[in-house]
Amino acid sequence: MNEGSLDIAEVARRSGLAPSALRFYEKKGLIVSAGRNGLRRTYHPDVLERLELITCARDAGFSVAEIGRFLVARSGDPDLRVRMAARACALDEQIGRLTRLRDSLRHAAICDHESIVECPDFKQAIGNEPAAGLVRSSHRDRLC
Amino acid sequence: MNEGSLDIAEVARRSGLAPSALRFYEKKGLIVSAGRNGLRRTYHPDVLERLELITCARDAGFSVAEIGRFLVARSGDPDLRVRMAARACALDEQIGRLTRLRDSLRHAAICDHESIVECPDFKQAIGNEPAAGLVRSSHRDRLC
DNA sequence: CTGCGACTTGAAGCGCGGTTCAAGTCAAGG
DNA sequence: CCTTGACTTGAACCGCGCTTCAAGTCGCAG
């Protein structure tokens, strides 16, 4: 067997993913196997890097299908570039939400209101506007 | 109908969630209905605020069950506080991942490597720790 | 050559987060 | 009164992202 290639079990071990997940990703076109040793898939070491990317994107809420589309992206595909830029903007918004949520959560862990959802600081960090009664639904910020 | 309470359809409209989702959340204990008008659920206006929180947390990757646990949190529950603090730290990590992913994506939409995944800048931004050198580092507070 | 065991496959199954459906109930309008 | 139509219910179903399973195949040690 080729010196540089990795057994599926080895890739699983080093990536922290189950072999079944690797086969699943391969079937979906997110990774490719370098060849076989008998029946066994072997992978180029670069696959580890790609798996890291995949895991990261999955954690970020990307679907497997979407990751697949991005992974085959070529510079000559303007549609895809547009989608990527849009996705980046969506990520910005999500990062904002997560940051506020984190701050609220961190506050909740130390605040002394009986019920944490009652805490005004908590609410304030989460919501953009408390819907106390005379709230017009705020127009979505179209910053992107 | 009580002046202050909202019909489920109204809540659905103003929250952007499907009525079925509202019933689902109610069944899971994430929201409570204020009462009924005939068979129809009515909700206190405060539910809108809570739904915003729920949606935000869902987007952040919290499961419905986990949100439910947090929502019933009382200040006298130290376990839950610990979980919240831990969750806040996890969010910090995720925010970091998302930020790197966003930067990579934004670069990908610009860069002229024929295959996006080939681009060294792209790879570099994804990889775990910014190793050295030319990293546009927002400084990471290691507090966890 | 004969196990053995770790892989292979396609198909079925699972948990999550809802949505859809069939059948029923109610409030209000004509 | 009867109809209309938006709601109600529980149960079935769905898509996703894998995991598990049964059955088969291979490399290698003995």
Side-chain angles (χ1 to χ4, degrees), chain A residues 10-84:
Chain A
E10 180 70 4
V11 174
R13 196 183 59 72
R14 287 171 64 173
S15 68
L17 294 164
S20 58
L22 297 179
R23 285 192 286 268
F24 177 74
Y25 287 155
E26 188 172 337
K27 193 152 45 183
K28 297 289 182 177
L30 274 62
I31 57 176
V32 288
S33 62
R36 298 291 180 114
N37 178 25
L39 280 183
R40 297 180 188 194
R41 285 167 177 80
T42 55
Y43 293 98
H44 191 276
D46 284 357
V47 85
L48 292 171
E49 194 175 81
R50 177 168 290 210
L51 286 170
E52 214 176 308
L53 169 57
I54 291 169
T55 301
C56 181
R58 289 280 308 118
D59 288 353
F62 285 68
S63 72
V64 167
E66 189 167 20
I67 294 169
R69 287 196 296 275
F70 285 163
L71 285 178
V72 298
R74 324 240 100 221
S75 52
D77 186 344
D79 271 16
L80 211 42
R81 279 166 182 269
V82 168
R83 280 218 300 274
M84 283 179 169

Side-chain angles (χ1 to χ4, degrees), chain A residues 99-132:
Chain A
T99 303
R100 283 183 284 119
L101 197 56
R102 179 204 58 191
D103 292 344
S104 291
L105 220 40
R106 203 156 263 161
H107 172 75
I110 60 168
C111 108
D112 54 0
H113 281 75
E114 176 54 23
S115 169
I116 67 144
V117 289
E118 300 288 307
C119 171
D121 291 357
F122 184 80
K123 287 179 177 175
Q124 202 242 326
I126 292 291
N128 329 5
E129 280 127 332

Side-chain angles (χ1 to χ4, degrees), chain B residues 2 18 34 42 52 65 68 77 82 104 120 139:
Chain B
N2 201 319
T42 56
E52 215 175 308
D77 185 343
V82 168
S104 290
H139 96 287

Side-chain angles (χ1 to χ4, degrees), chain B residues 14 21 27 36 43 69 80 84 86 122:
Chain B
R14 287 170 65 171
K27 192 152 46 182
R36 298 291 179 112
Y43 292 97
R69 288 197 295 275
L80 210 43
M84 283 179 170
F122 184 81

Side-chain angles (χ1 to χ4, degrees), chain B residues 33-108:
Chain B
S33 63
R36 298 291 179 112
N37 177 26
L39 281 185
R40 297 181 186 193
R41 287 168 176 79
T42 56
Y43 292 97
H44 191 274
D46 284 356
V47 85
L48 291 172
E49 194 175 82
R50 176 168 290 211
L51 286 171
E52 215 175 308
L53 168 57
I54 291 168
T55 301
C56 180
R58 289 278 309 119
D59 287 353
F62 286 68
S63 72
V64 167
E66 188 167 20
I67 294 170
R69 288 197 295 275
F70 286 163
L71 284 178
V72 299
R74 324 243 102 218
S75 52
D77 185 343
D79 270 15
L80 210 43
R81 280 166 181 269
V82 168
R83 279 218 300 275
M84 283 179 170
R87 214 34 168 119
C89 286
L91 277 180
D92 263 337
E93 285 170 25
Q94 202 187 339
I95 288 166
R97 277 196 303 271
L98 260 59
T99 302
R100 283 182 282 115
L101 198 55
R102 180 204 57 192
D103 291 345
S104 290
L105 221 41
R106 205 153 261 163
H107 172 74

